[in-house]
């Protein structure tokens, strides 16, 4: 049995508005689920980012928040937690992950440079492109075969990476590994692959950095799937993972289980000094950078809790439970189930909807109408347009992501979600595609508006 290693101390009421109301509200939201009011959503699987439930110890730590502008004890507590858990001595707090991305890329990416890695997250990609850079996806090809199950689909194709490093030489800004890799389904990277990437980075004298939004989940998968690490402590695995990187960018809203926050953590002082002026300019002074003292306290505590093995075991199995049960009722999902979310293959579920009528968005709409469940398209809407031709880019997979917030929902909630998809599966032929009525110029999935196609 998969028992939660916590009990509920505080509750937030939720309720299901009527189907007629849901249809009305969705229309008002331009069929974009980001524009729904949260009280109109019953089960919110839009994201696992900033939506986790903080613990009593995190709330208690917040009371100790030192709100001094500089030199606060809260900053030092965060610095100590990052050093103990990740092993990086230098830290720049930021307001969230994309704050870290903005600071980092503004310094290291110049026009015409490239950033190879496994599939970059959308905000990461946007920040690199915003500096005139080009993210190059070197993920193993099996990552894009939804029904092909293999343990480390977040791995880098080493031959492709080396070819890229040879081709672009001094135009490579840095290598970025996203662990776990959100854009291919929350899939992990093995230590073996990380080590090999690090060897290549050293050979070509290029910096290696990690996007560690979900590093603890990645470490759990390493323990579960990489033989050598079977009996190893999670925190030891984390330290080994990080030892191969020159630094890391973190959206703390995921594995540090806080509602807001992020940081850049670095191995050496030179990189820290190179980033510091931009960090002050964009985020705030180096001892708070977009976070209050209390937020840094909660984050420091969250890093310990997020790397607790009992917690991780429950967390990963909860997501697996959702995925396996959707699969059992015939819903095609991306396999194996990722760390933070189940990705439904919307292209396969709704084969009558072509990619440019966005089956993922259509399925998200159906899940809300049928059950008040909020999810997000990860497909051609999110993919955006080609920078040069301005044509719609076809995503490699049309997915619908059901992200599970940390320590929030029970198994009964997940059973309800499964029942809604069972219902949708029966009426799937009636689901229609969508087209834009307003298309946002960048990161368009967040703020575009749609209408169902005839
Ligand atoms: C892998 C990854 N990197 C970066 C980010 C951006 O972080 P934030 O939303 O805190 O700006 C996210 C957010 O979901 C993410 O999943």
């Amino acid at each position: 049995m998969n028992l939660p290693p916590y009990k509920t101390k505080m509750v937030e009421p939720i309720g299901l508005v009527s189907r007629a109301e849901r249809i009305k509200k969705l229309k008002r939201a331009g069929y974009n689920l980001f524009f729904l009011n949260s009280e109109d959503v019953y089960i919110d699987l839009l994201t696992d980012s900033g939506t986790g439930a903080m613990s009593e110890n995190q709330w208690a730590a917040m009371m100790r928040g030192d709100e001094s502008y500089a030199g606060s004890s809260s900053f030092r507590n965060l610095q100590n937690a990052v050093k103990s858990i990740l092993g990086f001595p230098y830290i720049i707090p930021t307001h969230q992950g994309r704050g870290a991305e903005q600071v980092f890329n503004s310094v290291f990416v110049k026009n015409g440079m490239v950033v190879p890695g496994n599939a970059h997250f959308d905000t990461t990609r946007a920040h690199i492109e915003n500096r005139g850079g080009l993210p190059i996806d070197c993920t193993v090809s099996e990552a894009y075969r939804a029904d092909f199950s293999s343990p480390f689909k977040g791995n880098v194709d080493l031959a492709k990476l080396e070819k890229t490093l040879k081709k672009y030489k001094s135009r490579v800004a840095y290598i970025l590994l996203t662990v776990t890799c959100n854009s291919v389904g929350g899939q992990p990277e093995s230590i073996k692959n990380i080590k090999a990437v690090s060897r290549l980075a050293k050979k070509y004298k290029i910096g290696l950095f990690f996007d560690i939004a979900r590093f603890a989940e990645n470490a759990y998968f390493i323990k579960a799937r990489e033989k050598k690490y079977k009996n190893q402590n999670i925190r030891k695995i984390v330290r080994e993972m990080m030892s191969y990187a020159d630094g890391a960018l973190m959206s703390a809203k995921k594995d540090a289980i806080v509602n807001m926050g992020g940081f850049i953590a670095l191995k050496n002082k030179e990189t820290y000094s190179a980033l510091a002026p931009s960090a002050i300019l964009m985020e705030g002074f180096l001892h708070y950078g977009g976070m209050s003292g209390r937020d840094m306290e909660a984050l420091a505590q969250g890093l310990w809790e997020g790397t607790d093995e009992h917690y991780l075991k429950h967390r990963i199995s909860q997501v697996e439970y959702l995925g396996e049960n959707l699969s059992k009722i015939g819903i095609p999902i991306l396999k194996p189930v990722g760390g933070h979310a189940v990705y439904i293959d919307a292209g396969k579920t709704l084969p009558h909807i072509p990619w440019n009528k966005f089956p993922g968005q259509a399925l998200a709409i159906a899940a809300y109408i049928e059950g008040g469940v909020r999810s997000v398209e990860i497909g051609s809407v999110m993919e955006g347009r080609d920078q040069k031709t301005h044509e719609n880019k076809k995503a490699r997979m049309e997915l619908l992501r059901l992200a599970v917030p940390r320590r929030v929902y029970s198994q009964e909630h997940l059973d309800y979600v499964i029942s809604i998809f069972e219902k949708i599966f029966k009426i799937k032929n009636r689901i229609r595609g969508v087209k834009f009525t307003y298309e946002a110029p960048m990161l368009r999935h967040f703020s575009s508006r749609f209408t169902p196609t005839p």
Side-chain angles (χ1 to χ4, degrees):
M1 218 192 293
N2 177 32
L3 295 175
Y6 49 81
K7 60 182 178 177
T8 310
K9 185 173 262 180
M10 193 190 284
V11 294
E12 179 183 339
I14 51 174
L16 184 60
V17 297
S18 72
R19 193 174 193 278
E21 277 294 302
R22 296 199 293 270
I23 291 172
K24 229 192 280 172
K25 288 175 194 293
L26 195 57
K27 209 168 170 184
R28 219 177 294 149
Y31 295 91
N32 183 339
L33 288 88
F34 283 96
F35 289 125
L36 288 172
N37 290 337
S38 61
E39 60 271 29
D40 297 328
V41 174
Y42 185 40
I43 306 292
D44 204 346
L45 306 182
L46 182 73
T47 175
D48 64 320
S49 180
T51 52
M54 290 215 299
S55 69
E56 57 177 5
N57 285 327
Q58 284 178 292
W59 283 107
M62 286 182 84
M63 298 303 289
R64 289 195 300 267
D66 175 354
E67 305 303 342
S68 307
Y69 192 94
S72 74
S73 55
S74 299
F75 169 70
R76 277 175 280 123
N77 286 342
L78 175 59
Q79 193 174 34
N80 288 338
V82 168
K83 197 170 172 190
S84 305
I85 294 171
L86 305 174
F88 297 117
Y90 300 98
I91 170 174
I92 298 173
T94 60
H95 75 283
Q96 63 181 101
R98 70 200 72 180
E101 290 168 352
Q102 189 185 16
V103 171
F104 194 83
N105 291 301
S106 73
V107 173
F108 292 124
V109 178
K110 309 262 177 302
N111 202 17
M113 286 186 138
V114 300
V115 180
N118 54 356
H120 307 65
F121 183 64
D122 59 352
T123 59
T124 321
R125 197 169 63 190
H127 274 297
I128 295 167
E129 288 172 354
N130 199 34
R131 301 294 306 167
L134 179 71
I136 298 186
D137 182 6
C138 299
T139 320
V140 288
S141 59
E142 71 222 43
Y144 297 101
R145 286 170 57 200
D147 55 358
F148 180 82
S149 187
S150 91
F152 292 105
K153 284 169 90 175
N155 276 354
V156 163
D157 177 333
L158 298 166
K160 185 164 183 198
L161 176 63
E162 183 153 21
K163 207 169 145 195
T164 307
L165 300 180
K166 271 185 187 156
K167 180 173 171 192
Y168 291 96
K169 296 190 180 85
S170 61
R171 281 168 60 209
V172 180
Y174 62 95
I175 300 170
L176 184 72
L177 296 186
T178 304
V179 292
T180 58
C181 192
N182 189 357
S183 304
V184 294
Q187 301 293 328
E189 259 217 77
S190 68
I191 292 241
K192 191 173 168 210
N193 191 257
I194 291 174
K195 244 168 143 173
V197 171
S198 147
R199 272 197 296 272
L200 283 178
K202 284 205 175 81
K203 181 173 165 190
Y204 290 89
K205 297 190 175 56
I206 288 161
L208 172 59
F209 292 86
F210 292 171
D211 175 338
I212 57 165
R214 300 179 182 84
F215 72 96
E217 290 169 5
N218 199 98
Y220 185 85
F221 282 124
I222 287 171
K223 185 178 167 86
R225 297 177 186 172
E226 203 166 347
K227 239 188 191 160
K228 194 176 150 194
Y229 296 90
K230 202 169 112 197
N231 298 315
Q232 214 175 107
N233 176 288
I234 290 287
R235 294 204 180 106
K236 230 173 146 188
I237 297 175
V238 168
R239 284 296 288 266
E240 183 176 344
M241 278 166 66
M242 301 302 157
S243 72
Y244 300 111
D246 295 300
L249 286 75
M250 177 157 198
S251 165
K253 300 165 74 176
K254 285 83 173 175
D255 274 1
I257 328 180
V258 287
N259 305 119
M260 190 50 76
F263 58 81
I264 303 171
L266 302 159
K267 207 178 239 176
N268 71 57
K269 196 162 180 196
E270 292 71 55
T271 322
Y272 174 83
S273 304
L275 292 171
S278 295
I280 296 171
L281 179 71
M282 292 166 184
E283 290 289 303
F285 185 60
L286 298 167
H287 297 169
Y288 69 88
M291 270 192 284
S292 53
R294 56 182 172 275
D295 287 341
M296 291 190 281
E297 292 284 355
L299 168 47
Q301 173 65 22
L303 283 170
W304 290 106
E305 294 180 14
T307 48
D308 175 86
E309 194 163 330
H310 299 292
Y311 151 74
L312 279 168
K313 181 171 187 284
H314 177 259
R315 155 94 185 136
I316 303 280
S317 354
Q318 207 184 23
V319 181
E320 206 170 43
Y321 175 86
L322 176 62
E324 279 177 0
N325 283 286
L326 285 172
S327 191
K328 267 185 205 157
I329 57 169
I331 311 271
I333 62 161
L334 195 148
K335 287 181 179 163
V337 177
H340 65 292
V342 174
Y343 291 68
I344 295 178
D345 189 335
K348 238 188 200 167
T349 309
L350 306 174
H352 58 287
I353 302 180
W355 70 272
N356 55 1
K357 300 264 167 63
F358 310 119
Q361 190 65 22
L363 196 54
I365 290 168
Y368 179 70
I369 292 177
E370 296 309 323
V373 175
R374 179 155 68 169
S375 50
V376 70
E377 190 256 17
I378 309 264
S380 294
V381 174
M382 187 182 264
E383 195 65 27
R385 288 183 183 270
D386 186 282
Q387 274 182 318
K388 285 193 187 119
T389 64
H390 209 62
E391 288 298 317
N392 268 318
K393 283 199 283 186
K394 182 180 184 307
R396 300 215 217 182
M397 296 183 281
E398 301 298 333
L399 301 171
L400 179 74
R401 187 184 76 177
L402 308 176
V404 182
R406 294 166 181 82
R407 305 191 292 208
V408 171
Y409 291 119
S410 67
Q411 191 162 317
E412 285 139 295
H413 292 121
L414 299 183
D415 285 335
Y416 170 79
V417 173
I418 295 157
S419 74
I420 294 305
F421 277 94
E422 196 167 14
K423 194 165 154 192
I424 291 172
F425 205 54
K426 287 183 189 140
I427 56 155
K428 66 190 173 94
N429 294 336
R430 300 214 300 266
I431 297 173
R432 293 184 285 157
V434 295
K435 62 178 185 187
F436 287 105
T437 53
Y438 161 70
E439 185 181 340
M442 86 196 294
L443 293 173
R444 65 183 185 178
H445 55 294
F446 284 120
S447 54
S448 294
R449 289 176 179 264
F450 306 89
T451 190
T453 53

